[in-house]
Amino acid sequence: MSGKMNCCTADPPENGSSTVDMKIFPTLDTIIPILSFQFKPSNLTTLDLLAILICLLAGHFLRKLINYGYLQFRFMFIDDLIKDLSSADTPPQSDGSHPNGWMPVAEKEQLATGAVLKVRALGRDFVLMRDSIGKVHAMDPYCPHNGAHLGGGDVVKIRGEDCIRCPFHEWSFRAEDGVCVDVPYAKDRKSPKGSNLKMWPCMEANGFIYIWFHNGGESADWVPETLEDIKLGRISYCGRFENIMDCEPYAVVENTADYYHFFSVHHKPSFIFTIVKSFPFYNKVEEAYTNFSWNTCEPTQSHKAEAEVQFNVRIRNWALVRAPLKIVFQGPYALTTHVETNFLGLTFKMELVVGLIPVRFNKVKHILRLYCGNGFLSQLMGRLYLVQLFSNVQSDCDIWQNMIRWRKPTFLKEEKDIADCNRWYSKFYDGANKNLIESGNDR
């Protein structure tokens, strides 16, 4: 055999020595000398050099992707993302500063069967309990006996009925109507008149627990719609994030009617764009929001409004991502978003459920829960989408955190949708002290 040949020799075994002919492993013939830093260009063919170049480029992009994901999105596979921008609490304002409607106060996972949960909204405490059949009840937090907080109580059965028991003197109140049904040390175990507990209308839907609030004490005339795909298990919980900010819920609602802020606030490259910009054709990638609309619903469903917009990512004339979004508002504190993301020819259906909890006047907790398909690929795509959402929303949060709501804002004719949203939202203050809507900076 003529010519020189690279080879790999090992320590001789007990039965003698052997030499491995590397001609049958042409790839290893290139890689092993490189890994051992025995680099001899004279031994490399054009194909070898091309293979090395491709490996180096692939390694470069992979390194950038891993490094970017680690530094910027370490929470990619974490279900619970929280950012608190708010300042220290101030004394609570009167209830007249809050709009009427079904108000989310907790997420369903926070309250187990037979458990009690203390929550805070409207600058006050509420107590939730889930009875033995899984039904949720909401009540005032203080025992009418002597004011002990029921958040430290427990759920008991009194004559076959689910009750919440005060941790101080063990007075028990029926979950259905708040009637005191047992005082352990009283004659006949009966309670005195006027010792019933105030109950609040509540319901559970789309992963949230809601309480009905109305400044004038009126009963609920509508309920948030339950998403059938979630109820029937066709899509499942994928992840969530929350932001706590010094602003009113209206700031978040108005944001979806403000088409023009997409270009000034969300002009920054998205998560997908940030990845693909490492490739040579990144300057051909375009992102755009199109087909925007905002409308209130018919009078029989005046508590609802809808917005639509489509997000597109294109590489020249090739559509990389196409994601139409339909947003449905359910009163002043809740909204859902239906998304059908088409990515590289694959379609992923997702549902976003947003709850706005008015912790106190001018302080809101914004919670977004994401639901998507049950398959591995759908769940993976959902988590990537959740990361992008969290990143995008932070730009909004920085603005919401430091804004107020004018009683008479100035809108251009091009901002008709924002003006319509403002009028629609204002009607939820019926019966409230409208002078408190201004946040103290009227002009």
Side-chain angles (χ1 to χ4, degrees):
M1 181 171 56
S2 61
K4 293 185 179 180
M5 175 183 65
N6 289 334
C7 63
C8 177
T9 58
D11 293 335
E14 294 181 357
N15 59 352
S17 62
S18 64
T19 301
V20 180
D21 187 348
M22 294 302 295
K23 271 193 171 181
I24 60 175
F25 299 111
T27 304
L28 294 178
D29 189 31
T30 299
I31 294 176
I32 290 178
I34 293 175
L35 294 179
S36 60
F37 301 98
Q38 298 174 6
F39 187 75
K40 297 180 179 180
S42 59
N43 293 337
L44 301 179
T45 66
T46 302
L47 290 178
D48 292 331
L49 292 172
L50 182 60
I52 293 173
L53 179 61
I54 292 174
C55 289
L56 290 175
L57 286 173
H60 169 71
F61 293 130
L62 182 61
R63 179 187 63 80
K64 292 193 68 173
L65 178 60
I66 294 174
N67 186 60
Y68 183 83
Y70 177 75
L71 294 178
Q72 303 297 328
F73 299 107
R74 294 187 294 272
F75 43 72
M76 185 176 295
F77 294 99
I78 300 176
D79 290 336
D80 194 6
L81 315 175
I82 300 175
K83 187 172 183 180
D84 189 347
L85 302 172
S86 64
S87 58
D89 280 350
T90 58
Q93 304 291 322
S94 65
D95 292 340
S97 59
H98 302 286
N100 309 317
W102 284 99
M103 175 181 57
V105 292
E107 296 171 85
K108 68 174 187 178
E109 295 88 354
Q110 295 178 265
L111 186 61
T113 300
V116 175
L117 177 68
K118 180 181 76 172
V119 295
R120 188 162 184 80
L122 305 176
R124 63 171 73 178
D125 283 353
F126 296 88
V127 170
L128 306 176
M129 65 163 283
R130 193 185 295 276
D131 62 25
S132 57
I133 62 173
K135 184 178 179 180
V136 178
H137 306 271
M139 62 206 70
D140 269 358
Y142 303 109
C143 178
H145 170 215
N146 72 340
H149 202 293
L150 297 175
D154 54 0
V155 178
V156 295
K157 284 278 189 179
I158 304 293
R159 292 183 285 278
E161 295 180 303
D162 288 294
C163 302
I164 184 169
R165 183 169 60 187
C166 176
F168 201 7
H169 297 92
E170 297 190 345
W171 289 34
S172 298
F173 304 88
R174 192 162 53 207
E176 285 296 328
D177 53 14
V179 173
C180 184
V181 295
D182 185 58
V183 179
Y185 51 87
K187 184 179 180 180
D188 299 327
R189 304 180 74 95
K190 293 182 178 179
S191 63
K193 293 182 179 180
S195 58
N196 295 340
L197 188 63
K198 180 181 178 180
M199 306 297 292
W200 291 79
C202 68
M203 65 168 293
E204 193 170 4
N206 306 325
F208 281 100
I209 298 172
Y210 298 86
I211 291 178
W212 171 258
F213 168 78
H214 194 282
N215 289 281
E218 296 182 12
S219 301
D221 54 0
W222 60 274
V223 294
E225 294 180 0
T226 299
L227 298 177
E228 288 297 316
D229 285 344
I230 296 177
K231 183 178 179 180
L232 299 177
R234 290 195 287 261
I235 57 177
S236 57
Y237 175 78
C238 182
R240 49 93 74 187
F241 64 77
E242 73 177 57
N243 294 277
I244 306 174
M245 301 162 290
D246 292 328
C247 69
E248 290 299 292
Y250 173 73
V252 183
V253 175
E254 181 193 66
N255 200 70
T256 57
D258 184 0
Y259 176 61
Y260 296 100
H261 93 281
F262 293 156
F263 307 102
S264 55
V265 177
H266 300 299
H267 67 280
K268 299 177 182 178
S270 67
F271 174 54
I272 295 175
F273 186 93
T274 306
I275 293 176
V276 301
K277 77 175 185 179
S278 298
F279 293 87
F281 51 76
Y282 80 94
N283 59 335
K284 304 297 182 182
V285 177
E286 298 179 356
E287 295 184 338
Y289 293 91
T290 61
N291 303 330
F292 178 80
S293 66
W294 196 97
N295 298 288
T296 56
C297 294
E298 57 189 24
T300 57
Q301 293 185 310
S302 61
H303 64 279
K304 291 178 60 178
E306 296 180 351
E308 294 187 23
V309 68
Q310 181 165 307
F311 174 69
N312 303 296
V313 179
R314 302 180 66 85
I315 301 176
R316 294 185 177 177
N317 294 324
W318 177 50
L320 178 64
V321 177
R322 187 172 62 254
L325 292 80
K326 182 177 181 179
I327 306 167
V328 180
F329 301 91
Q330 304 277 344
Y333 300 115
L335 60 103
T336 59
T337 302
H338 177 74
V339 186
E340 286 194 18
T341 301
N342 186 291
F343 178 64
L344 298 177
L346 300 175
T347 300
F348 302 91
K349 294 184 178 181
M350 306 177 192
E351 296 283 356
L352 283 65
V353 183
V354 175
L356 305 173
I357 303 177
V359 179
R360 57 162 171 81
F361 179 71
N362 205 45
K363 181 175 182 177
V364 66
K365 181 184 291 186
H366 166 270
I367 300 177
L368 184 147
R369 296 170 60 91
L370 176 65
Y371 295 82
C372 57
N374 299 314
F376 170 78
L377 193 58
S378 295
Q379 289 283 314
L380 178 61
M381 191 67 183
R383 290 177 182 273
L384 293 173
Y385 186 62
L386 187 69
V387 167
Q388 178 175 324
L389 276 174
F390 183 77
S391 177
N392 286 347
V393 168
Q394 301 319 301
S395 300
D396 291 314
C397 289
D398 292 337
I399 296 175
W400 298 338
Q401 167 70 13
N402 297 289
M403 71 182 297
I404 63 170
R405 183 188 179 194
W406 295 121
R407 186 175 63 176
K408 296 179 180 179
T410 302
F411 295 126
L412 302 176
K413 64 180 181 179
E414 291 85 358
E415 298 174 309
K416 178 181 178 297
D417 294 325
I418 308 178
D420 290 344
C421 177
N422 186 286
R423 285 190 292 270
W424 172 79
Y425 196 90
S426 294
K427 72 185 187 65
F428 294 108
Y429 286 94
D430 290 346
N433 183 354
K434 295 186 179 181
N435 291 328
L436 294 175
I437 302 174
E438 308 156 14
S439 293
N441 286 293
D442 193 17
R443 52 185 176 186

